[in-house]
Amino acid sequence: MRRPGRHFLQIPGPSPVPDAVLAATARQVIDHRSPEFAELGLSVLSKLGPVFQTTADVVIYPSSGTGAWEAALCNTLSPGDRIITYETGHFAALWSRLAERIGLRPETVGENWRGGVDPQAIEDRLRRDAAREIKAVCVVHNETSTGSTTVLREVREAMDAARHPALLMVDSISGLASADLRMDEWGIDVVVAGSQKGLMLPPGLSFNAVGQRALEASKTAGVARSYWDWGEMIGMNRSGYFPYTPATNLLYGLDAALDRLLAEGLEQVFARHERMARATRRAVQAWGLENLCASPRHFSPVLTTVLMPEGHSADAFRRTVLDAFDMSLGSGLSKVADRVFRIGHLGDVNELTLVGALAGCEMGFALAGIPHQKGGVEAAMRHLSETAAADA
Amino acid sequence: MRRPGRHFLQIPGPSPVPDAVLAATARQVIDHRSPEFAELGLSVLSKLGPVFQTTADVVIYPSSGTGAWEAALCNTLSPGDRIITYETGHFAALWSRLAERIGLRPETVGENWRGGVDPQAIEDRLRRDAAREIKAVCVVHNETSTGSTTVLREVREAMDAARHPALLMVDSISGLASADLRMDEWGIDVVVAGSQKGLMLPPGLSFNAVGQRALEASKTAGVARSYWDWGEMIGMNRSGYFPYTPATNLLYGLDAALDRLLAEGLEQVFARHERMARATRRAVQAWGLENLCASPRHFSPVLTTVLMPEGHSADAFRRTVLDAFDMSLGSGLSKVADRVFRIGHLGDVNELTLVGALAGCEMGFALAGIPHQKGGVEAAMRHLSETAAADA
Amino acid sequence: MRRPGRHFLQIPGPSPVPDAVLAATARQVIDHRSPEFAELGLSVLSKLGPVFQTTADVVIYPSSGTGAWEAALCNTLSPGDRIITYETGHFAALWSRLAERIGLRPETVGENWRGGVDPQAIEDRLRRDAAREIKAVCVVHNETSTGSTTVLREVREAMDAARHPALLMVDSISGLASADLRMDEWGIDVVVAGSQKGLMLPPGLSFNAVGQRALEASKTAGVARSYWDWGEMIGMNRSGYFPYTPATNLLYGLDAALDRLLAEGLEQVFARHERMARATRRAVQAWGLENLCASPRHFSPVLTTVLMPEGHSADAFRRTVLDAFDMSLGSGLSKVADRVFRIGHLGDVNELTLVGALAGCEMGFALAGIPHQKGGVEAAMRHLSETAAADA
Amino acid sequence: MRRPGRHFLQIPGPSPVPDAVLAATARQVIDHRSPEFAELGLSVLSKLGPVFQTTADVVIYPSSGTGAWEAALCNTLSPGDRIITYETGHFAALWSRLAERIGLRPETVGENWRGGVDPQAIEDRLRRDAAREIKAVCVVHNETSTGSTTVLREVREAMDAARHPALLMVDSISGLASADLRMDEWGIDVVVAGSQKGLMLPPGLSFNAVGQRALEASKTAGVARSYWDWGEMIGMNRSGYFPYTPATNLLYGLDAALDRLLAEGLEQVFARHERMARATRRAVQAWGLENLCASPRHFSPVLTTVLMPEGHSADAFRRTVLDAFDMSLGSGLSKVADRVFRIGHLGDVNELTLVGALAGCEMGFALAGIPHQKGGVEAAMRHLSETAAADA
């Protein structure tokens, strides 16, 4: 028996799924080789491009985002290939570790858990690669473990400055449809994404948006692969079908979710996330607490990660909040385990839910005996009401 | 296309329906004369008594609460019968008007839109009724238009003091399962209720809990009736069936909702409502605004009605809140139209949702230019966190 | 735990609800006084007229069809008013009994449980009513207990031939949206209907389509009423609202169901029902069993009622079918209790479901030891495949 | 707009999903790192073993069955490893092709699209493998493209007879929970399965049941892998969690579906499938058509594949059936494309639905001008009613 009222799911993904999207996923399954299915397939495929801001093909996998990480690498790179990464946090590190496990040679050119990728580090390393051994630059757009968003345009410019032909591969699992991502304009070769964040779906689908250069690479390179192989997928997608049984019901939901996003308009979606993020940061500041992201230009529109005062357990605090107020907050991962908690403000979230979430934090501080100043909720409300006029 | 995030439905009913209850209502309909249906019928009927705190029969109508008002009267009273009422607000007045329309002679013995029924007025009038012409005392338990809750025990005591045999009929449409209601202990003859408030269901079902004296009365008295007739209903209910096609899918939901209520425990349900109400009143006080209910012992656990500062339109304010923050607040009705707004805090509502709702009000004041003091949300949070310890 | 596979709900209503309609009913409830609600209200009200084939107002009650029976009578007739009815079966008799209970004087001018209304009987009685004491003629369009459909046009003609001003009131609870019903063309003054038959909704809503003459009558006549009163209802409906809390979630479903009906087209809906009915009758004939309806021009498109061979219990047979094949069939009511069973083929039913249902009967005969000839299913299939060509 | 009535989804998977399972998948997503999630995880993991009839670990992937094929191979086998397969149809061939694509050396030791694996062929090949180069025997339990079910016990016996240490890996994607599968008793090392067949779920989950020897092998062997790696998965599963975001909502459904299966009892589930299959074969025989599976001991309980009479297009026939009767049948794949159609009778299917489906075929033959004898439906009904007595 769940507690009275709605659970507040304020982790940085999975994000709350709109009722209408959940209802769409609960339609009876259909024959994945029927004409009706082809309509569904073509519908979702045609709407995905605009969300990635690309004309490239977008491949849909029945898998988690981790699978799509693997897919991006194994379609384009060959065993022993060098890639460079930048450790913006736990997920950047995990992707790098995954690359290693499937036989690539990743090299981390820098590390910053309190900000975005330093493009200079990329540029420097690429310039030193006279032999053009580096085949890809792999960076995380929005680092879900820290709340920092990399300025991808700068990464592209760094690569251009180095005149290096490496592919630019971007994990935007928690960025897509929340933070601006212009695949074509920014010259990104592969974007990796997942369903359970800005797309407002349950987990279970992941994506590779595949640029022309990546597709070319996939024809001559790649590690042994079958499930993840782009070729067959893109071929069959032309007619709306998939080479193996797709996760039909999540596609129903995807179709509904894409309709919502496109009806709202991407720009408005990004602005809404930004507004929620600002309100949250105002609260953190008012509480006298520190944002893990120390670089304002990398503040994330998706989540905010809060450093606990020295000597206080973030996990104990999260447990208190869960017990007392039925809210889930994100935990600190690996290097920052128990040191931070994360507030997700992405996807299908609005002003009053956000204030409720921030109130859960502020009341939780009181209950858990965390040193803080009151007024965080009020500061957030001030921002939201000041910026509301234009909405109304 | 709905706005992003969840709508805040903070009217004093219909209240938000828990997802699991909605899902229950969406099960395929079954044969209402099948053995499977009888199990459902017996299940809901057996769980209703405890919620009304009675061993009496509870009749379920496919109708709104208005229908159950009519049912209570037309089963027990004959054309021209005198009844007395007390105008605690719009709904008490409506019930009285309905009585008149179906041929009864209602008399209002007092009026107070800012508090509960005055038991003395009842007692006085009954004492004067030497001829025992008055057949029923009809009062509203929780007046949804004002946010006042009558102390029913006092009404009973008043009737006893007057040694008057009139029936005590209580509208607890918005009280049941939110405010304590002890039908048997308090000697209530008929309780009228509805599905869309504390029972956390969509609207469409209503109830008459029928005490022994009322049932006796129904055998000799009553206005012309068929749909509302208790006799056939109670007879068929013995075996779990209904005399006409019941609203099967709402009964599915009712079964699920009753399970939730009984699992939580009625005492806990009432305490939870009381806590939400107190937090709300702290907010109203902090804003420097006035509660329409001026009598603290009649403060409602279900809703709080806020008087707008002179010269400000409550309806314009509610529109601002709806537009800017996607929250529905209750409007002022008849005598207090445009003068008050109502905040529902009943049913499936928890702490963070309530704070969100109060924040919507406080931010709405700012947007709409309503004179107020800040700090309402903070005051509510203080109450909620101070009283949370025991919960966690 | 339900049995594997889908239950076959083959009673003459409630009929199976399409998944999409069930899903619509499971949307979160909204404020019934909000602008969003008004849109919903206006939407359903505007689509109802075409289904009743009328330009008249259609009133929607949160109630069963029984309530709408009462509504039709109590809005137009005064205590002691005479009405005439024709007993085509159990439901015609029940409506008459209801009329009596609410103070009217119904007179049954004929009885035929094996066919439709005899218009001559109506005409004869009306002609004898020189004093114009008869205020209404109340007939059932499709008699759900027998499977006979009255030819309403003939009833109208009979009334016209008698030049009698009585109102023509029609119960089309199980007829609407399954059997052709032209309210305006056929001069019907009130049509009574329900949600759980051809409208493919769960039970819980009922309807009065109110012609101009009936509306006029309601202004001067009528028994004491409040819940059922047309005046307030029609007034508020103009703006999309209702005078008391409507059954919002069933209205969501109604909106979806009406969209389906209007998209398919009423003519096609009627033709589809007719085709199912013919296939069913072919099966009954092949089994060597008798249709309770003995008059081919009154065969119902909605259900077929089968007479059991002498000495065999229809109810025992139905139990066998329910136990062995998880199918619900309709029981015989009152005069034909245990003598007949009823096969519903209305609403959201297609060819293969119908064949499955008929197979359940035919296999049930074998299991229950009912004398019959095989080949009923085959006969139905022959009809369905012969008439399928045009569809494909 | 869908056609009236329910679509008949009679392909051999995805199979129709029970309404309650669909509803379970539509619950709001939760934090996959919360205590509540761990309960869900442990619940499903504890119920899976009994369905595989094993005490081994069962790994759940967010992926299609194709992914689970790849997972089974890449966890246990190293690049260049030899495996042997037996081509019972399209899916056996696809699995072999997949093995090749990921760097293994599959060898097909026999081919029979009209029956199960010939164990002698396996034994002979293994006996010749003196060097023990063959690392695995990979067979399909129930071949979805042909409707043949291999007798796995014989394959095990063949391997034992050859005293060969190769792993036995079985694709039971369409067999699990429909055809008896005794992983432990039959000494199967890895079972590959999917959600959308006997488990009655939407597609999107797949499974590897991992025996002790396979687990040992995975520690020293395997191709480059990350997503599919068993080690981390099994480790985290101990506490009910997953190493990457699981497909939470499908797990909700899985929990509900497993409850249904275990409540019914596996033996009863298998018997039910067998009964449906027999009824279907009676129909095919009566039509005078040929079952693609020519070996009665390999007849599938899951689906029946029907050979079209020479000169008639199976796909044109399927289109006719889809257009005229809204039923999806399975198409012929690769070698038997357009030559056969497949009738699925697996999962949540009952007697009357099956008869409806067979009627759709029989009526479809008539419409499409396919030479056949009538009486198939009748033959199926005879079998179902003869075997129904025990059920009732």
Side-chain angles (χ1 to χ4, degrees), chain C residues 11 39 41 44 51 70 87 89 91 103 117 153 159 199 221-222 239 254 258 262 301 371:
Chain C
I11 58 175
E39 276 179 50
V44 296
V51 173
E70 189 164 329
E87 188 177 312
F91 290 101
V117 168
R153 184 194 302 268
M159 294 174 70
L199 290 180
S239 51
L254 178 59
L258 291 170
L262 298 176

Side-chain angles (χ1 to χ4, degrees), chain A residues 62-107:
Chain A
S63 91
S64 79
T66 303
W69 270 352
E70 189 164 329
L73 301 176
C74 74
N75 272 287
T76 51
L77 302 168
S78 301
D81 273 359
R82 285 185 187 282
I83 64 174
I84 62 173
T85 66
Y86 189 99
E87 187 176 312
T88 43
H90 179 61
F91 290 101
L94 274 186
W95 195 14
S96 179
R97 193 180 67 142
L98 185 154
E100 201 159 4
R101 289 176 72 178
I102 64 168
L104 307 174
R105 286 191 291 168
E107 176 188 337

Side-chain angles (χ1 to χ4, degrees), chain C residues 208-232:
Chain C
N208 275 183
V210 178
Q212 202 48 49
R213 291 180 63 229
L215 196 58
E216 284 309 311
S218 76
K219 288 172 185 162
T220 55
V223 303
R225 65 191 185 268
S226 173
Y227 189 74
W228 307 118
D229 192 62
W230 289 339
E232 217 171 351

Side-chain angles (χ1 to χ4, degrees), chain A residues 136-219:
Chain A
V137 174
C138 295
V139 296
V140 171
H141 180 203
N142 183 77
E143 175 58 61
T144 321
S145 65
T146 65
S148 295
T149 306
T150 281
V151 183
L152 294 170
R153 185 194 302 268
E154 297 174 351
V155 176
R156 175 76 268 164
E157 288 166 355
M159 293 174 71
D160 290 348
R163 297 175 187 270
H164 197 287
L167 295 170
L168 174 55
M169 307 224 236
V170 170
D171 160 0
S172 190
I173 291 175
S174 67
L176 185 77
S178 299
D180 196 5
L181 173 77
R182 308 183 186 182
M183 180 171 172
D184 287 359
E185 184 181 329
W186 298 344
I188 305 171
D189 296 296
V190 183
V191 176
V192 171
S195 55
Q196 75 275 20
K197 312 273 182 173
L199 290 180
M200 307 177 294
L201 283 173
L205 292 183
S206 70
F207 307 89
N208 275 183
V210 179
Q212 202 50 46
R213 290 181 63 229
L215 196 57
E216 284 308 312
S218 76
K219 288 172 184 162

Side-chain angles (χ1 to χ4, degrees), chain A residues 6 9-11 14-18 200-201 346-349, chain D residues 28-29:
Chain A
R6 290 189 67 83
L9 182 69
Q10 299 293 147
I11 58 174
S15 67
V17 182
M200 307 177 294
L201 283 173
L346 72 161
D348 193 46
V349 175
Chain D
Q28 184 55 266
V29 70

Side-chain angles (χ1 to χ4, degrees), chain C residues 5-6 19 272 348 350 378, chain D residues 4-6 19 348 350 367 378:
Chain C
R6 290 189 67 81
D19 291 347
R272 177 164 57 82
D348 193 46
N350 60 13
E378 195 166 317
Chain D
R6 290 189 67 81
D19 291 347
D348 193 48
N350 60 13
L367 282 187
E378 194 166 318

